Amino acid sequence: MFTRPPGFTYKKDELHCDGVSINRLAKKFGTPLYVYSALAIRERYRTLERAFHHVRHTLCYSVKANSNLSILRLLAGMGAGFDIVSGGELERVRRAQKKALKKVVFSGVGKTADELRLALRNGILLFNVESEGELELLATCASELRKTANIALRVNPDVPAETHPYISTGLREHKFGVPIGNARELCRRAAEHKYLRVAGVSLHIGSQIGDVAPFHLAMERAVELVMQLLADGHNIRFIDAGGGLGISYNSAAPLDFTDQAHRYAEAITEPFLRMKKPFPHLLLEPGRSIIAPAGALVTRVLYLKRNGNKRFTIVDAAMNDLIRPSLYQARHEITPVTFTRARSERVQSDVAGPICESGDFLARDAMLPALTPGENLCIFDAGAYGMSLASNYNSRPRAAEVLVEGTRVRLIRRRETIKDLLQEEAACL
Ligand code: LLP
């Protein structure tokens, strides 16, 4: 039987989240159900914090990874800032903790004028500008509102990072950032605008990156640029190193997070500390590395079936609840919530949901013990990009979410109802 990092552990053959039985949670709140461990979130946040203790820094948690208000509030309470990419995410931060708005960085290639104005009015920390057009629009909005915007150009460092092609961002062929070679000229132009202040450089090379070397290389390029910008007379106060640190989705190849966080911090801060003092303030935008292992998706077995030689375990969660396996060929570990030694013999089976597409699966060829309809399964490492990518495809209401802290359980999002789904629509004709 495998053990999991803090958060999810077997006690007497039954999986628990912190001090609470997952079968009990499933019974009380129904399935599919997202379960998060507050303990694990706090621990991972603190581990990252400690790894960067030697430099002035702020962890700006990437809201897109999991944007539940209670999770944002928990992190804000620990001092986190936030990385946002839309007006909706900005509103979430505002509702989670108003004063955290001062620690918000705004990334994204398609910010609209309304979103820029909203962010200006809310006095965020930094706009990570991704194009010349955005720079001009931001200048117009800022002077309309007479609010000064701190900007960091998001540069594309042209650094390859081994990850799924959909979530790699740091190459010239990707839509993100401006070519690093154009940055000086753009900053010169930005500085001519009365309401823009060139305050930093930002980058983000991709997500689920296991090797720390690409972070080092990207930071070397960013530092080189910062030195040029300082020489050009800009007051560069921030370097935003983005997010992207990967996790291990495979419990047979576990990663010690303390060790990994230290290697990551070393890779990023080594080029950074080569600059002259005073060092800029380092910003980081971690999402997955904080929240992914702290959350799991609990689902109930509906049917067991065989088509020829192939076995299928049909469960009540589907690709609309967790799209990562279908979209990125991600492999999330799945185990029964009740696990006895007598059940150690494994059979190969696909775990699939009720959605009408062959692409709807949660695992392909998983090795699972013989299962019984009605029992619960736990899909691990689903805390990041699980619920935040959930949809209503096939008119399926989205799952409920609970946050467990010790033995305390909080329902942090109630299960959607069919009524919720239909209320925005009109049958006009
Ligand atoms: N900063 C920026 C500008 C980003 O685009 C992202 C993620 C992050 C920070 C956070 O990256 P993290 O630390 O979580 O790797 N849905 C995909 C991942 C998409 C990542 C998008 N950007 C998945 O499920 O793997």
Side-chain angles (χ1 to χ4, degrees):
M1 190 192 321
F2 67 75
T3 48
R4 287 251 133 209
F8 296 91
T9 41
Y10 279 94
K11 290 181 193 157
K12 290 205 190 126
D13 301 338
E14 243 203 75
L15 191 64
H16 283 61
C17 177
D18 291 2
V20 180
S21 144
I22 290 192
N23 279 329
R24 273 189 38 214
L25 290 174
K27 195 160 174 202
K28 177 151 186 208
F29 299 100
T31 52
L33 177 71
Y34 273 99
V35 178
Y36 307 105
S37 155
L39 189 85
I41 301 172
R42 290 186 199 283
E43 186 170 308
R44 296 185 72 86
Y45 179 85
R46 281 199 202 103
T47 301
L48 264 188
E49 267 290 313
R50 277 196 294 266
F52 285 94
H53 77 277
H54 55 301
V55 290
R56 271 194 311 133
H57 71 276
T58 303
L59 300 183
C60 295
Y61 167 74
S62 194
V63 173
K64 65 178 85 62
N66 186 319
S67 51
N68 184 285
L69 291 176
S70 296
I71 287 174
L72 301 186
R73 184 167 286 175
L74 184 157
L75 289 165
M78 298 186 77
F82 295 95
D83 157 51
I84 62 160
V85 290
S86 69
E89 288 190 349
L90 183 116
E91 181 57 20
R92 284 182 177 276
V93 173
R94 209 177 61 77
R95 292 213 195 165
Q97 194 198 69
K98 223 168 157 203
K99 70 174 196 225
L101 286 165
K102 285 207 257 353
K103 297 190 216 168
V104 162
V105 300
F106 193 176
S107 314
V109 292
K111 306 177 190 84
T112 64
D114 282 346
E115 289 175 321
L116 292 173
R117 285 190 209 105
L118 187 69
L120 282 162
R121 283 200 204 93
N122 280 287
I124 67 162
L125 180 67
L126 196 62
F127 290 82
N128 287 340
V129 173
E130 305 223 13
S131 65
E132 195 177 341
E134 184 189 332
L135 194 70
E136 293 306 325
L137 183 59
L138 180 59
T140 309
C141 296
S143 54
E144 256 169 42
L145 297 174
R146 296 173 199 272
K147 298 240 185 230
T148 303
N150 279 332
I151 66 156
L153 270 194
R154 171 159 173 194
V155 293
N156 191 325
D158 200 23
V159 169
E162 204 173 301
T163 184
H164 191 281
Y166 289 3
I167 53 177
S168 168
T169 53
L171 284 181
R172 216 171 304 165
E173 70 220 45
H174 296 136
K175 68 178 174 181
F176 298 99
V178 298
I180 200 159
N182 302 358
R184 279 177 94 174
E185 172 56 19
L186 278 174
C187 283
R188 191 189 60 71
R189 263 189 266 163
E192 286 170 0
H193 289 284
K194 185 167 164 207
Y195 289 97
L196 297 186
R197 195 184 293 142
V198 179
V201 164
S202 78
L203 54 93
H204 170 77
I205 55 174
S207 193
Q208 184 51 13
I209 298 170
D211 180 10
V212 299
F215 293 113
H216 185 263
L217 185 56
M219 188 45 106
E220 274 188 327
R221 297 195 176 156
V223 162
E224 198 180 315
L225 172 64
V226 167
M227 298 210 280
Q228 290 167 348
L229 294 175
L230 286 168
D232 292 345
H234 301 287
N235 180 12
I236 303 297
R237 294 182 292 135
F238 302 103
I239 297 189
D240 181 344
L245 184 62
I247 65 150
S248 169
Y249 283 92
N250 176 3
S251 71
L255 273 173
D256 177 76
F257 190 48
T258 307
D259 171 62
Q260 188 199 12
H262 278 95
R263 282 186 290 112
Y264 172 62
E266 166 70 21
I268 286 184
T269 55
E270 194 275 328
F272 180 87
L273 291 171
R274 270 192 251 147
M275 282 183 292
K276 276 206 232 84
K277 282 189 183 168
F279 299 122
H281 190 103
L282 181 64
L283 300 169
L284 297 138
E285 303 173 357
R288 184 191 321 262
S289 54
I290 291 177
I291 195 76
L297 175 59
V298 181
T299 182
R300 187 161 50 93
V301 177
L302 297 176
Y303 302 102
L304 302 170
K305 64 185 277 185
R306 259 178 111 140
N307 287 353
N309 283 336
K310 195 145 176 99
R311 289 171 199 264
F312 292 90
T313 304
I314 308 293
V315 297
D316 67 356
M319 67 191 287
N320 74 300
D321 300 300
L322 179 65
I323 204 173
R324 304 195 69 261
S326 307
L327 191 57
Y328 313 111
Q329 295 77 50
R331 295 187 76 91
H332 286 252
E333 218 154 81
I334 304 184
T335 65
V337 173
T338 308
F339 197 105
T340 61
R341 275 191 193 286
R343 304 182 64 183
S344 55
E345 206 161 303
R346 307 286 181 107
V347 279
Q348 189 168 317
S349 159
D350 279 14
V351 179
I355 283 183
C356 300
E357 288 201 25
S358 300
D360 175 32
F361 56 86
L362 296 158
R364 284 244 150 112
D365 300 325
M367 296 305 290
L368 292 166
L371 299 167
T372 321
E375 76 170 285
N376 294 315
L377 301 181
C378 188
I379 307 175
F380 288 105
D381 301 313
Y385 308 110
M387 189 61 182
S388 63
L389 267 85
S391 76
N392 295 118
Y393 188 39
N394 277 205
S395 289
R396 287 168 52 85
R398 278 175 293 175
E401 293 177 288
V402 293
L403 179 66
V404 178
E405 183 146 32
T407 53
R408 179 153 188 197
V409 178
R410 294 180 177 95
L411 179 66
I412 59 173
R413 190 181 208 275
R414 71 159 168 81
R415 184 173 304 285
E416 239 168 14
T417 61
I418 291 173
K419 198 169 160 210
D420 292 331
L421 257 58
L422 298 183
Q423 74 183 5
E424 311 302 333
E425 284 176 47
C428 278
L429 304 179

